[in-house]
Amino acid sequence: MSSHLPEPAVASGESPQRQFVFISDGRLQEAPTVRHLLNFLSPLRAETPCQKVLERFLAQPDLYALPVIDKESRPIGLVDRRSFIEFFSKQYSREIFGRRAIVELDSYDEYESANPLIVEDSCSVEDVAQMIIDAGMQHMVTGFIVVSGGNYLGVANGHDLLNIITQRKQAELHYLAHYDHLTGLPNRMLLADRLERACRDAERKNSLVAVLFIDIDRFKQINDSLGHSVGDAVLRKVVERLKLSARRADTVARLGGDEFVILMESLDDQADVDLVAQRVVEAMRAPIEVFGHSLVATVSVGSSLYPADDTEISPLLAKADAAMYEAKARGRNGFRRYAAGTAMYNPARIALENDLRKAIDGDELVLFFQPQVDLVTQEIRGVEALVRWRHPQRGLVSPIHFIPVAEESGLIVPLGNWVLCAALHQLRQWQMQERLPVRVSINISALQLRQGGFARYLAEQIEAYAIDPCLIELELTESVLMHNVEGVLQTLHEIKALGVSLAIDDFGTGFSSLSYLRRFPIDRLKIDQSFVRDIERTPTNESIARAIVALANSLSLDIVAEGIETPAEKSVLEHMRCSEGQGYLFAKPLPAEEIVNWLGVSRKELLLSY
Ligand SMILES: Nc1nc2c(ncn2[C@@H]2O[C@@H]3COP(=O)(O)O[C@H]4[C@@H](O)[C@H](n5cnc6c(=O)[nH]c(N)nc65)O[C@@H]4COP(=O)(O)O[C@H]3[C@H]2O)c(=O)[nH]1
């Protein structure tokens, strides 16, 4: 190792953090190593004359740094373009030092070389990301040297590293959002997606799609009497048998609890559905052996058919569910097809839907507001309106429980309209009291936006409540932008023309191309709270949040980080120049009157505490 070039930081692949898995399309893969990022770059040798180094930099303007190796091909340093060129730009330096070897340079004060990072090719990308964050991010720009057994292989650059980490994180989030943890089966969300695609295909090909709804008979008894671990083991065994009963191309999904669906695509004949349903019922008759117990877990199965029974996704599932209930009512352990006379019977769900309908018409819904604050000054910049349901029996119900029911039943449209009007009404109150002249963000669901005339409805409400439109922001999820692009684009332009701004909620979780950001008239990105959680000790979260902030800056978009719970999370985001934040650290969602108090009292405390 030369004494002239800086001491490199060498990282081996033996780090204990290497158990990461790469998840794509539901399959587990090995964690990628830096070998995936390798670019060959012919290195310099310690004795290379300075003039030659300068010539290489001039010939390749996109090189940030050049690696230096010794006679045994071991990296000994890195020549940083900026400091080297700055040094050489002085005419006298070129003349005096042009023919000297690079190793002789560091006796001169002007020359400062970058401290290189050298990593073994077996090192995981997560470990390298952590090292780069620990070292202060400069290697994101200069890149790092990759070695094998200490010998020079090539270099890798920070952009490729960030890309691969972002992709992995998105794949992990996609997996968590679309697959069931216990069984590894597609979950309700992925099923809905596949069902929608299958129906579109069927329409083109003039074929059929079937939904088999499967529920384990008396599963609750197994769980209650033998415990959850036995229950879980039974569920896994049931899944094995369902997979064996289904055709190869069918999707077996878990809706939750003991409910499963088999989605059968590209069918020509209802008889195929009956066959698979019978196979499922038969397959469950043999006892299941778990933890020394021999249990029989029979199932009830109901089916519905696209397009004969329904052409919409939710009713199609509901009809298969209703047929399954009929099979249960007829003594369980059997199969029923949906028919026109089948009672649409799912008591819990129907009760919730009915209650929600009444809640929208009555006065059980309330809006809470959560502050969005400037991370540097702690000034309030806006509030997000979040709906709550004060149920007479169940108490305060979280939107997590009733928004999905509202979406599936179409009740989200009247509910969303109620939220919009209530938020504008509140904004008007604050304006009149000269209390809170801040932006109010309102969540808008895809179905609402796709209703014809949404922009007109919005304009009418803005006029009715006499609100300055620049105080209104609509929050959309990435998925809203993915379907019917032209129609959505037009509506968004109409909304923007009113002077209302638009934000993308839960940004980064949508698994979508970023190119739409340029196409759609978006004003703000909200970094999803999953990237904010423990950001100070989770390198992937930090890299992604940093990438989102950089992306927002480069497209001149505003940015808010969601779900900030700790001073450490806030501090990391503040340092990466994320301008605004929202989260329990500042305030939980609060009723309208408490927000005003919060402004008066808590903000002073906030100012003192950070
Ligand atoms: N763990 C943690 N959570 C935090 C923190 N700060 C805020 N949150 C919660 O994160 C959620 C943020 O809202 P969202 O992403 O729009 O997610 C919302 C939104 O998708 C939906 N939602 C709520 N209100 C409406 C509405 O009026 N219309 C529509 N369409 N959806 C709504 O329900 C979701 C859940 O709402 P909430 O339960 O109010 O949950 C809120 C909020 O209470 C924090 O520091 N830590």
Side-chain angles (χ1 to χ4, degrees), residues 347-581:
R349 161 69 202 258
I350 288 174
L352 190 70
E353 209 179 296
N354 282 342
D355 283 1
L356 187 56
R357 191 166 281 120
K358 282 190 227 137
I360 299 168
D361 296 337
D363 58 356
E364 290 173 21
L365 295 182
V366 279
L367 276 193
F368 275 37
F369 296 88
Q370 189 177 33
Q372 296 172 332
V373 302
D374 184 307
L375 288 183
V376 177
T377 64
Q378 315 294 336
E379 294 290 332
I380 188 164
R381 289 278 175 255
V383 288
E384 179 179 3
L386 292 157
V387 68
R388 300 286 181 269
W389 179 5
R390 284 194 204 283
H391 192 284
Q393 281 87 43
R394 301 174 203 221
L396 202 63
V397 186
S398 157
I400 296 169
H401 299 300
F402 64 86
I403 292 285
V405 175
E407 301 258 9
E408 280 171 29
S409 60
L411 283 174
I412 193 70
V413 175
L415 187 149
N417 290 347
W418 181 90
V419 168
L420 181 67
C421 294
L424 297 192
H425 174 74
Q426 188 56 60
L427 194 52
R428 178 81 195 139
Q429 301 285 102
W430 283 330
Q431 270 186 356
M432 289 195 316
Q433 300 159 1
E434 296 180 357
R435 303 298 276 276
L436 259 180
V438 294
R439 177 185 78 220
V440 174
S441 306
I442 303 163
N443 289 282
I444 299 294
S445 97
L447 212 60
Q448 252 179 300
L449 199 75
R450 286 195 214 120
Q451 291 284 305
F454 177 77
R456 198 172 349 106
Y457 176 75
L458 178 65
E460 284 163 9
Q461 301 313 315
I462 291 174
E463 201 183 325
Y465 288 96
I467 299 290
D468 179 353
C470 74
L471 291 177
I472 306 169
E473 179 173 81
L474 303 187
E475 285 190 13
L476 317 167
T477 54
E478 283 170 273
S479 59
V480 171
L481 312 179
M482 295 296 106
H483 304 288
N484 180 19
V485 172
E486 294 312 319
V488 170
L489 195 58
Q490 156 129 17
T491 308
L492 296 188
H493 279 299
E494 287 167 11
I495 294 172
K496 285 288 296 174
L498 299 174
V500 170
S501 52
L502 296 169
I504 303 283
D505 204 2
D506 309 333
F507 187 78
T509 59
F511 210 56
S512 48
S513 130
L514 297 183
S515 60
Y516 69 81
L517 277 184
R518 285 182 211 277
R519 275 196 81 190
F520 290 95
I522 303 299
D523 302 282
R524 182 189 306 276
L525 302 181
K526 291 192 79 179
I527 304 179
D528 186 62
Q529 43 180 293
S530 60
F531 302 127
V532 171
R533 195 63 52 246
D534 296 327
I535 191 168
E536 73 284 7
R537 9 173 228 267
T538 316
T540 45
N541 283 1
E542 153 133 26
S543 335
I544 289 172
R546 204 176 275 280
I548 296 175
V549 173
L551 186 75
N553 287 338
S554 69
L555 295 171
S556 301
L557 302 176
D558 292 328
I559 188 127
V560 185
E562 285 187 297
I564 303 179
E565 291 186 354
T566 64
E569 289 167 356
K570 174 192 173 261
S571 158
V572 173
L573 288 156
E574 192 185 337
H575 279 104
M576 58 176 71
R577 295 186 191 285
C578 170
S579 49
E580 289 179 31

Side-chain angles (χ1 to χ4, degrees), residues 210-436:
V211 173
L212 287 187
F213 204 110
I214 299 147
D215 187 280
I216 305 176
D217 298 326
R218 299 200 179 90
F219 180 71
K220 194 170 174 319
Q221 277 176 15
I222 297 178
N223 237 354
D224 290 351
S225 55
L226 300 173
H228 286 286
S229 38
V230 174
D232 287 354
V234 169
L235 287 173
R236 288 200 201 93
K237 295 271 185 190
V238 166
V239 168
E240 282 170 22
R241 295 185 186 184
L242 290 180
K243 284 182 176 167
L244 287 174
S245 309
R247 303 171 313 163
R248 209 178 246 257
D250 298 339
T251 296
V252 181
R254 182 176 179 212
L255 294 188
D258 60 340
E259 289 179 342
F260 298 89
V261 161
I262 298 180
L263 166 65
M264 301 176 66
E265 303 184 36
S266 307
L267 288 167
D268 298 321
D269 198 344
Q270 160 88 50
D272 292 346
V273 185
D274 299 355
L275 200 73
V276 171
Q278 293 302 349
R279 268 209 310 253
V280 168
V281 173
E282 290 297 324
M284 300 301 165
R285 291 211 170 118
I288 291 174
E289 310 292 334
V290 283
F291 301 131
H293 302 279
S294 182
L295 304 164
V296 176
T298 60
V299 292
S300 300
V301 183
S303 75
S304 64
L305 209 60
Y306 172 94
D309 295 332
D310 215 296
T311 51
E312 297 287 327
I313 304 303
S314 295
L316 204 58
L317 270 171
K319 285 176 179 174
D321 187 16
M324 184 277 291
Y325 266 97
E326 201 170 80
K328 273 209 194 294
R330 287 174 171 257
R332 302 188 175 92
N333 188 18
F335 160 61
R336 295 293 296 171
R337 285 184 192 173
Y338 174 81
T342 307
M344 294 300 290
Y345 183 68
N346 182 341
R349 161 69 202 258
I350 288 174
L352 190 70
E353 209 179 296
N354 282 342
D355 283 1
L356 187 56
R357 191 166 281 120
K358 282 190 227 137
I360 299 168
D361 296 337
D363 58 356
E364 290 173 21
L365 295 182
V366 279
L367 276 193
F368 275 37
F369 296 88
Q370 189 177 33
Q372 296 172 332
V373 302
D374 184 307
L375 288 183
V376 177
T377 64
Q378 315 294 336
E379 294 290 332
I380 188 164
R381 289 278 175 255
V383 288
E384 179 179 3
L386 292 157
V387 68
R388 300 286 181 269
W389 179 5
R390 284 194 204 283
H391 192 284
Q393 281 87 43
R394 301 174 203 221
L396 202 63
V397 186
S398 157
I400 296 169
H401 299 300
F402 64 86
I403 292 285
V405 175
E407 301 258 9
E408 280 171 29
S409 60
L411 283 174
I412 193 70
V413 175
L415 187 149
N417 290 347
W418 181 90
V419 168
L420 181 67
C421 294
L424 297 192
H425 174 74
Q426 188 56 60
L427 194 52
R428 178 81 195 139
Q429 301 285 102
W430 283 330
Q431 270 186 356
M432 289 195 316
Q433 300 159 1
E434 296 180 357
R435 303 298 276 276
L436 259 180

Side-chain angles (χ1 to χ4, degrees), residues 21-32 167-176 178-179 184 190 194 511:
V21 285
F22 185 44
I23 302 161
S24 81
D25 197 22
R27 281 172 299 122
L28 302 181
Q29 289 177 6
E30 288 256 336
Q167 278 168 18
R168 275 168 54 68
K169 185 75 189 179
Q170 285 196 332
E172 277 176 35
L173 287 171
H174 182 262
Y175 183 83
L176 292 176
H178 293 87
Y179 290 85
L190 185 54
R194 292 202 181 159
F511 210 56

